[in-house]
Amino acid sequence: MIRLTLFLTIFPLFLSAQNPKLYKYWVEFTDKNNTPYCTCRPAEFLSARALERRARAGIAIVDNDLPPTPDYLTALKYSVTQIHSVSRWLNAAAVISDSARAAALVKLPFVKSVRYLGPHLKFRNPTNRPEKKRTPLTLMPQVEGGGTYWGYAALQNNLLGVPVLHMAGHKGEGIYVAVMDGGFTNVDTLPFFDSLAYHNRLFSAHDFVEHDGAVYEAAQHGTSVLSVMGAYLPGYFVGTAPEATYFLLKTEDTGGEYPVEETNWIAGAEWADSAGVDIINASLGYTVFNDTSLSHKYKELDGRTAIGSRGAAIAATKGMIVCNSAGNEGDESWRFIGVPADAPGLIAVGAVQHNARRAAFSSVGPTPDGRIKPDLVAPGEEVVTAGNTGTQLGVSSGTSVAAPMLVGSIASLWSAFPEKTAAEILDAVFASADQAERPDNARGYGMPDMTAAWFQLAAYVNSRYIFAFNRTKGELRILLPDRKVPFDATFALRDILGNQLEITQPVLSRHEISTLLFQNLENVPPGHYSVVMTSGNEVLQIAVASW
C-alpha cells in the first residue's frame, strides 16, 4: 500500500502534458514478492497440456513460471499510457509511455530497470478483420506432367527424409506448433490450408503487436512459412506436417524494426508454453534496428544479453522444441546469426541448397562465447511455398523457410512417438544429421534425416524386413509395404521350432508403409521367431527376434 501511495503522489505531475510523444520501454521488476501465485498451484497460469508436457519431461515448476506480482502491474497502469505485454519469465513488462513518465518509473521501489525500446508505432491494420469464408476447390490441381503425393514439395521434403514418415502414417497428428511471424495474409482463404481448417487444426491465436484478434493480415511472410509445414493438396503440394495443429501468433511489427519485437517474441513464446505447445517456429531475427543506436553488437550475442535471447533461452528449458531462423546475412559484412538465434538450447536453423551445401546467405557462427551456431540446417534456397492467391505457388529463399521445413519434419517425427520428450526427439534428430560427428559454424551439426531418426527412436533392426522389439513395453513392431498385406491376411507368431505362441492377434495400421504390432510379449524368451502371414493359399514368413 505504501508503494502505491508513493506512486499516486507523483502521478498528477504528468497530467499537464498535452499529447506527449509516446515510446515503448522495457520495465524489469526487482522481485515477485507478495504474489498470490504459487508454484504449488500451477494450473492457475499453465494449461493442463502444458503441465502434462512438463511432467513427462520431469521439468519442475519454478519461480520464473510465476506471473509478475499483480500489485506491481496495477501500479504501472497508473503511470504509463498502456501496458503492451508482460513477461513472467523475465519478470518484466513492455509499456507505452512518454519519456517523462518513463524516467519516473525508476523511482518505484519494485522497478529494477527501465530500457528504451523505440517509438510507439501507430497501428496500420483494421481491428478484428473478420475471418473470410473458404471456398472449396472444385478441381484439385496437379503437377504438370505428373508427380508424387507431395507434388512440388517432393524434393524439399525428401531432403529431410520426410516422405517415409508420411508413408507410415506419421504426418504430425497430435503435435501442437506455434508459428510466430509478422502476419498470415490470406491463410483464411487459401486452399492449401483447407484441410487444417476443416479438421480444427488451425487457430488464429493472438496478435501481440496490435492486440486485436486479426492475424490474417500485414504480411505474406507467415503464409509462406506455414505452407511448407501445413499445406495439404495431395498430388500438388503437401507440407512436412500436414496433420499437425497450428497456432498463429503475430509478433513481428512490419511497420519498423525495433527491440520491442523481441519482447513480442517472448510474449508469444510464453503464450505457447502456457497453451501446451510442443514446437515453436519463429522465422524472425534481430540485429540492426531503425534506430541504429539500439542495434546489437556481435559481442552481445552470448545468449545472456539481448532481451529476446534471454527469453528464448528460458523457452528452451520448458519442454518445448524452439526453432528460430539463423539469419540471412552470411554473405554480408555482418555474417553472423542474430537474436534470438544465439540463445543456448534454441535450435538456430541455417539454410542449404538442394545439393545440401550451405546457402551463401545463411548466417554463420560462432557465438562470441564460442558456441557452435547454427545448430542444424534445412532446405532454404528455392523452396516451393504457397503464393498469394488460390493455388498459386512461389519460390522462396532464406532461413525463414529453412526453419519451418525443419519444424514440420520434427513434428511428423514426434507424432510417431508422442510419449517421448523434446530432449529425446532432439537427441535422435541431431544424431541423424549429416555432420553430427564434425559440426562446424557454417552448417552446425548438419541436415537431419528424419527416417534415420525414426529408426533410431523405434530401435528398428533393418534386415530383410524392418522390425523392433521392446521388452519393457512387450511390443514387437514390423514395417511392411502396404502392397504385401492382403485385406484377408491373418498373422501368427511362431518360435524357431514352428510352435505358435498363444497371443492376441496383432494390430495392423495400414498405410503405404504399414505397421504390424504384437503386444503383451514381456515374457517371451529371447531368441529367433517368425511372423507367418497367411492369405488364402499364400504364406509369407518374416524373420524377427527378441532380446
Side-chain angles (χ1 to χ4, degrees):
M1 191 65 182
I2 294 174
R3 290 172 177 167
L4 191 56
T5 302
L6 264 175
F7 183 74
L8 291 176
T9 301
I10 64 172
F11 177 66
L13 297 178
F14 304 119
L15 294 180
S16 59
Q18 298 296 316
N19 300 318
K21 189 172 182 179
L22 297 178
Y23 304 90
K24 289 191 175 80
Y25 297 89
W26 180 246
V27 182
E28 294 198 22
F29 303 126
T30 56
D31 54 61
K32 292 184 177 180
N33 292 345
N34 303 315
T35 177
Y37 301 104
C38 177
T39 55
C40 59
R41 299 189 306 276
E44 294 178 1
F45 45 88
L46 294 172
S47 69
R49 199 175 193 278
L51 293 173
E52 188 278 331
R53 184 194 67 223
R54 294 196 188 196
R56 188 169 70 247
I59 297 173
I61 309 301
V62 295
D63 285 347
N64 69 22
D65 290 310
L66 299 176
T69 301
D71 286 348
Y72 297 173
L73 297 175
T74 299
L76 273 188
K77 290 177 182 178
Y78 282 100
S79 178
V80 299
T81 301
Q82 181 184 337
I83 293 180
H84 177 67
S85 65
V86 174
S87 171
R88 50 192 169 88
W89 291 341
L90 298 185
N91 194 26
V95 303
I96 301 170
S97 174
D98 60 74
S99 57
R101 292 185 181 188
L105 292 177
V106 296
K107 299 178 182 178
L108 296 174
F110 54 83
V111 170
K112 177 182 178 182
S113 62
V114 178
R115 178 174 173 178
Y116 173 64
L117 296 175
H120 173 51
L121 303 177
K122 292 183 178 180
F123 300 157
R124 301 170 311 288
N125 297 303
T127 302
N128 293 315
R129 174 178 78 71
E131 186 172 341
K132 297 177 182 178
K133 185 177 181 180
R134 291 183 177 275
T135 303
L137 282 175
T138 56
L139 182 65
M140 185 69 71
Q142 295 293 320
V143 172
E144 185 177 349
T148 66
Y149 164 83
W150 300 273
Y152 287 107
L155 174 58
Q156 61 206 43
N157 289 357
N158 191 61
L159 287 169
L160 288 166
V162 169
V164 172
L165 287 173
H166 287 189
M167 292 169 70
H170 308 305
K171 303 176 183 178
E173 184 175 8
I175 302 301
Y176 282 15
V177 179
V179 188
M180 304 200 301
D181 217 286
F184 304 87
T185 301
N186 293 335
V187 163
D188 54 341
T189 61
L190 291 177
F192 297 104
F193 310 110
D194 286 353
S195 179
L196 291 177
Y198 294 151
H199 289 94
N200 294 315
R201 295 184 180 130
L202 182 65
F203 296 93
S204 171
H206 192 71
D207 180 346
F208 291 92
V209 177
E210 299 177 325
H211 296 286
D212 59 20
V215 301
Y216 300 124
E217 60 182 20
Q220 178 71 18
H221 189 269
T223 307
S224 298
V225 164
L226 179 63
S227 70
V228 300
M229 296 182 283
Y232 185 71
L233 290 180
Y236 183 66
F237 189 69
V238 174
T240 49
E243 294 182 4
T245 298
Y246 295 94
F247 298 88
L248 309 185
L249 307 176
K250 185 179 167 189
T251 63
E252 174 80 358
D253 191 338
T254 56
E257 197 81 348
Y258 292 97
V260 67
E261 292 166 293
E262 295 180 33
T263 73
N264 296 344
W265 194 107
I266 297 169
E270 291 188 15
W271 184 97
D273 172 39
S274 296
V277 160
D278 301 299
I279 312 176
I280 292 176
N281 181 86
S283 293
L284 306 167
Y286 307 100
T287 51
V288 178
F289 297 110
N290 290 63
D291 182 344
T292 56
S293 69
L294 301 173
S295 296
H296 293 300
K297 299 176 176 60
Y298 173 67
K299 66 181 181 181
E300 298 172 354
L301 303 186
D302 57 5
R304 304 184 303 272
T305 301
I307 295 172
S309 302
R310 290 166 56 203
I314 295 174
T317 69
K318 302 303 181 183
M320 301 180 289
I321 294 175
V322 185
C323 295
N324 201 100
S325 53
N328 299 331
E329 287 74 41
D331 54 359
E332 298 180 10
S333 58
W334 170 268
R335 295 187 60 238
F336 299 106
I337 59 168
V339 169
D342 63 313
L346 174 146
I347 308 304
V349 186
V352 294
Q353 307 168 51
H354 290 163
N355 60 10
R357 294 178 181 174
R358 171 183 159 265
F361 58 78
S362 185
S363 292
V364 300
T367 61
D369 54 335
R371 288 175 291 116
I372 287 176
K373 289 286 181 174
D375 298 277
L376 295 168
V377 293
E381 187 168 298
E382 296 186 353
V383 170
V384 181
T385 63
N388 294 318
T389 59
T391 58
Q392 178 188 72
L393 291 171
V395 176
S396 300
S397 295
T399 58
S400 285
V401 287
M405 284 294 300
L406 179 65
V407 164
S409 65
I410 291 175
S412 286
L413 175 67
W414 206 346
S415 68
F417 309 97
E419 77 284 358
K420 299 288 187 183
T421 66
E424 290 171 319
I425 295 295
L426 284 178
D427 283 347
V429 169
F430 272 84
S432 76
D434 60 15
Q435 52 186 51
E437 302 301 324
R438 55 185 192 286
D440 58 36
N441 287 298
R443 295 174 76 252
Y445 289 79
M447 183 162 60
D449 180 346
M450 295 303 158
T451 299
W454 177 45
F455 276 28
Q456 176 182 325
L457 287 165
Y460 280 123
V461 175
N462 191 358
S463 57
R464 183 181 177 189
Y465 287 93
I466 299 170
F467 70 92
F469 179 74
N470 186 317
R471 182 167 297 280
T472 302
K473 292 184 177 181
E475 294 180 345
L476 172 67
R477 293 176 182 269
I478 303 109
L479 298 182
L480 297 167
D482 181 61
R483 65 181 182 276
K484 289 186 176 292
V485 189
F487 282 94
D488 63 345
T490 58
F491 303 90
L493 183 62
R494 300 180 182 275
D495 63 22
I496 196 170
L497 299 177
N499 299 312
Q500 183 171 336
L501 278 64
E502 297 299 324
I503 56 176
T504 57
Q505 275 291 303
V507 177
L508 177 66
S509 298
R510 190 180 288 275
H511 299 281
E512 288 182 82
I513 298 176
S514 298
T515 303
L516 187 64
L517 172 63
F518 289 90
Q519 297 174 297
N520 304 315
L521 302 180
E522 294 91 339
N523 299 318
V524 169
H528 294 281
Y529 294 84
S530 63
V531 174
V532 180
M533 180 175 69
T534 304
S535 174
N537 295 325
E538 295 184 12
V539 177
L540 175 67
Q541 289 194 351
I542 302 169
V544 295
S546 67
W547 49 83

